[in-house]
Amino acid sequence: MSPPKSYRGLPRAHRDLSDPAGWFRRLLHKPKPSSVESTHASSSSPSSSSSRSPASSPRPVRPSPVPDISAAGSARWAKSYDVCICHSAGDLELVLELVSYLEGQPESFRCFLQPRDAAPGSAVVTELCDAVQNSHTWVMLITPGFLGDPWCRYQMHQALAEAPAANGRAIPVLKGVDRRDYPKELRNLYYIYMALKESGFQRIRDTVLR
């Protein structure tokens, strides 16, 4: 619909005031802002996720180093023997098996066994004291025969005399002995109970390695 002739030649602002219907139609058909501009505006604003600082990764926990008993600087090499075994004469067969097991391990433990390693002609007590002082650990095989033998008690006391300066190096091993018969002198030390020979040997080996 064209404007009346009387409106022609008038400025648009005057025509709008004179023709409110036409002005209202133009207002309804006013173009909307471009979606491209709105998209550009939204993409130009930094995202909340990118404004976050990256989370710091936790530091890895390093395990405590395990001492290598076979290393050249290990304390075992400061001694002539790794293990001194205190036992009664009646338990010699079991002790021989234990010595064979330990010396056959990859660590090649050096065991002192008095009937085998004592120097001929030397004093028995001197040999025992030297072996105790020159051994990294002492295994005491506590059996009924051990408890009834005064010589075994003497060996035990010699080992305990060294123990205060060498915590963890005296290793009591119980076999065939009730807990109530465990020597009072050893009550402050944990012991290995040898129910089965194979598992008992394994626990002795593991304890010597500590």
Side-chain angles (χ1 to χ4, degrees):
M1 176 179 180
S2 59
K5 293 182 179 180
S6 59
Y7 295 161
R8 294 177 184 177
L10 291 176
R12 179 173 292 276
H14 291 280
R15 278 190 270 166
D16 290 341
L17 294 175
S18 303
D19 185 13
W23 173 82
F24 187 74
R25 284 196 301 270
R26 285 194 298 273
L27 180 64
L28 291 177
H29 290 84
K30 187 178 181 180
K32 296 181 180 180
S34 173
S35 60
V36 176
E37 294 179 358
S38 61
T39 304
H40 176 71
S42 62
S43 61
S44 63
S45 62
S47 62
S48 58
S49 59
S50 62
S51 62
R52 297 176 184 174
S53 59
S56 58
S57 56
R59 295 183 179 179
V61 179
R62 297 181 180 179
S64 301
V66 178
D68 184 2
I69 194 173
S70 61
S74 175
R76 68 180 287 212
W77 299 114
K79 302 291 184 177
S80 302
Y81 301 99
D82 296 310
V83 186
C84 176
I85 303 177
C86 305
H87 63 93
S88 69
D91 300 317
L92 181 59
E93 183 177 351
L94 176 61
V95 172
L96 288 173
E97 292 184 51
L98 173 60
V99 169
S100 177
Y101 172 83
L102 293 175
E103 292 180 343
Q105 295 300 302
E107 295 81 10
S108 300
F109 293 110
R110 301 160 298 161
C111 300
F112 178 84
L113 185 60
Q114 193 167 11
R116 181 191 68 179
D117 300 319
S122 60
V124 175
V125 174
T126 302
E127 283 290 310
L128 172 66
C129 293
D130 289 345
V132 169
Q133 293 175 0
N134 291 302
S135 295
H136 183 60
T137 58
W138 314 285
V139 173
M140 294 173 283
L141 185 58
I142 313 296
T143 62
F146 185 100
L147 296 176
D149 190 340
W151 171 243
C152 292
R153 290 274 184 174
Y154 181 79
Q155 295 180 68
M156 179 181 67
H157 290 147
Q158 289 298 315
L160 291 176
E162 295 287 330
N167 184 31
R169 290 169 56 192
I171 308 171
V173 180
L174 269 66
K175 182 171 177 59
V177 174
D178 193 86
R179 177 68 178 82
R180 63 174 177 269
D181 296 325
Y182 187 55
K184 294 180 180 180
E185 298 93 330
L186 303 176
R187 292 292 171 90
N188 63 327
L189 299 177
Y190 288 108
Y191 61 85
I192 296 172
Y193 188 81
M194 188 185 293
L196 298 175
K197 183 169 55 179
E198 291 76 11
S199 60
F201 287 1
Q202 177 69 38
R203 291 190 64 190
I204 293 171
R205 171 192 174 274
D206 293 344
T207 305
V208 173
L209 282 173
R210 293 177 183 173

